[in-house]
Amino acid sequence: MDTEAELPKRSTARHKCVACYKQFKRKDHLIEHMKISYHSVHQPKCAVCQKLSKSFESLREHLTGPLSKAHCSGIFSDRGCNLCMNIFDSPSSLIKHKEACSLSAPVPFEKTLSNAESQKKISGAIDEKRTCRGPKAVAMDCEMVGGGSNGTLDLCARVCLVDEDENVIFHTYVQPQLPVTNYRYEVTGLTEEDIKNAMPLKEVKDKILEILNNGESTGRLMLDDGKARLLVGHGLEHDLDSLRMNYPDHMLRDTAKYRPLMKTNLVSHSLKYLTRTYLGYDIQSGVHDPYEDCVSVMRLYKRFRRQDHQVEEIGNQNTTGSFDSYKYKELEKMSPNELYQISKSDYRCWCLD
């Protein structure tokens, strides 16, 4: 009769994902995980242990949360920046970095211009120099008043556009197409007098499209190499709907829908939260200033666009479905690292702009 020592031992080998470090009992479970996780070099990464996270919120929990990893948390607390989540060589390097990383709130729109200039901008004039030869991206924000019997229907009553240098290139009050039943004064600061003789919505839409198209033909707007400008904003779908305007999805850069800036469960954060967490200052403490919101979303976009993910070896991580080109038996023979090499991101990283 066989003794207990002579019984064959069951293998306890685990299959570990080299990206997020999850472990699986079976290789096919790891393969299925890799198919749906869309791991890529564009995901936020812990600078200590190199673990990838779905979002910066997940990375923040890994480094500073109640269940953070002790080794990573200790190093981050000494040499890590709470805004950009990078880790530096020494505490002195961190102090120097924070002077540039933590920004000041923008000067309110009305204070950036003289009275005459302000009236010119509010009337809807466009800076022609920037329209013809402008930057690659433009940030937009709309302020809404309420329509309908209960005032819950959002109507655009003010719009602002800024360039990458935070210059106002278009600003105007907007005449809603429906009667206003709630000016939402505590948030918008708008009154009946502000929009009584404002620019009609159709004219506003045409001027905005003129700026964004930048002389590009409608047929070329769907291409990546044209002259049209990227549109940056927070909740852009809402703003575009209020303007009765369409713009190609691949030309939109929305801080509310950018995967690394979303919550762990992929729900959007507010712009107020993102600005405080990643730029270091507060906005929207009283009446909302569309210029302040425009500048904040542009700063967020530029900060995350500057990330260097070293994509040379793995290539453009923008396409999905790479696992579909392999037979399952081929995938079973691949190592965890090889599985990661063929994994692709399911969103376009701003570092590719």
Side-chain angles (χ1 to χ4, degrees):
M1 183 175 181
D2 292 336
T3 65
E4 185 176 346
E6 293 174 336
L7 293 175
K9 293 183 179 181
R10 291 185 178 182
S11 173
T12 58
R14 291 275 193 171
H15 302 278
K16 183 178 180 180
C17 173
V18 299
C20 68
Y21 300 165
K22 286 184 179 179
Q23 297 188 35
F24 303 89
K25 291 182 179 179
R26 295 168 48 178
K27 182 67 174 288
D28 57 328
H29 291 171
L30 171 62
I31 294 172
E32 291 305 312
H33 163 77
M34 295 303 295
K35 284 183 177 181
I36 64 175
S37 63
Y38 299 105
H39 287 312
S40 82
V41 294
H42 299 287
Q43 287 182 289
K45 179 172 67 175
C46 175
V48 181
C49 70
Q50 308 301 305
K51 176 184 176 182
L52 297 183
S53 301
K54 284 186 177 181
S55 66
F56 279 99
E57 183 175 87
S58 297
L59 176 59
R60 199 176 295 276
E61 291 174 358
H62 169 77
L63 291 169
T64 65
L67 300 178
S68 59
K69 300 301 179 182
H71 177 62
C72 300
S73 178
I75 293 177
F76 185 79
S77 63
D78 289 336
R79 297 185 274 116
C81 176
N82 284 316
L83 296 178
C84 66
M85 307 302 290
N86 289 322
I87 294 177
F88 296 85
D89 296 333
S90 65
S92 59
S93 297
L94 172 63
I95 292 173
K96 184 178 180 180
H97 161 79
K98 281 188 173 181
E99 293 176 357
C101 196
S102 183
L103 303 178
S104 300
V107 176
F109 173 71
E110 286 74 10
K111 295 181 181 179
T112 63
L113 307 168
S114 66
N115 288 337
E117 186 75 2
S118 179
Q119 290 304 313
K120 174 186 174 183
K121 296 295 182 182
I122 289 174
S123 70
I126 302 172
D127 189 322
E128 296 297 340
K129 292 182 181 178
R130 294 195 183 96
T131 308
C132 300
R133 192 178 59 258
K136 187 178 179 182
V138 169
M140 181 177 75
D141 182 68
C142 298
E143 289 299 324
M144 313 291 183
V145 292
S149 58
N150 57 2
T152 59
L153 181 64
D154 288 335
L155 305 173
C156 180
R158 188 181 180 188
V159 63
C160 182
L161 275 71
V162 304
D163 62 20
E164 291 192 21
D165 296 320
E166 303 179 7
N167 298 307
V168 177
I169 54 176
F170 180 65
H171 176 271
T172 187
Y173 295 123
V174 184
Q175 180 63 57
Q177 292 182 315
L178 297 175
V180 178
T181 54
N182 185 355
Y183 284 90
R184 304 173 184 174
Y185 179 78
E186 295 79 8
V187 175
T188 67
L190 296 175
T191 65
E192 182 179 2
E193 189 66 25
D194 290 323
I195 64 174
K196 182 166 58 175
N197 298 312
M199 184 179 291
L201 181 64
K202 185 180 184 306
E203 188 175 344
V204 172
K205 170 184 170 182
D206 291 342
K207 287 186 178 291
I208 293 174
L209 286 174
E210 179 185 345
I211 294 171
L212 295 178
N213 293 354
N214 200 25
E216 192 70 271
S217 65
T218 304
R220 284 190 57 81
L221 281 179
M222 299 306 295
L223 303 178
D224 288 321
D225 59 349
K227 296 184 294 181
R229 298 172 178 175
L230 299 174
L231 179 59
V232 181
H234 188 82
L236 280 171
E237 183 178 359
H238 186 207
D239 286 347
L240 291 172
D241 283 347
S242 73
L243 291 165
R244 304 291 188 268
M245 198 175 99
N246 294 314
Y247 203 60
D249 287 345
H250 75 283
M251 299 293 288
L252 304 180
R253 301 293 181 266
D254 196 333
T255 54
K257 292 186 175 182
Y258 188 49
R259 293 289 185 86
L261 291 179
M262 299 177 80
K263 298 180 182 180
T264 304
N265 58 358
L266 296 182
V267 173
S268 301
H269 279 295
S270 68
L271 179 59
K272 183 181 180 72
Y273 171 87
L274 294 178
T275 301
R276 181 177 63 251
T277 305
Y278 297 104
L279 300 179
Y281 62 87
D282 285 310
I283 62 171
Q284 301 175 350
S285 55
V287 172
H288 290 197
D289 183 349
Y291 172 73
E292 183 180 58
D293 290 357
C294 279
V295 170
S296 297
V297 294
M298 181 60 80
R299 288 176 178 178
L300 285 167
Y301 168 69
K302 289 168 65 178
R303 173 156 291 184
F304 290 96
R305 183 182 64 183
R306 286 197 300 266
Q307 289 184 300
D308 180 13
H309 292 132
Q310 299 178 349
V311 298
E312 304 91 273
E313 294 183 4
I314 300 180
N316 189 322
Q317 299 276 334
N318 193 38
T319 57
T320 60
S322 55
F323 282 89
D324 294 338
S325 59
Y326 292 87
K327 294 180 180 179
Y328 197 84
K329 289 184 178 180
E330 294 175 314
L331 294 175
E332 284 187 311
K333 294 178 182 178
M334 291 184 181
S335 68
N337 191 62
E338 289 172 329
L339 290 171
Y340 171 63
Q341 294 295 318
I342 64 171
S343 180
K344 308 293 182 183
S345 173
D346 61 346
Y347 66 90
R348 179 182 174 85
C349 182
W350 289 346
C351 79
L352 299 172
D353 288 349

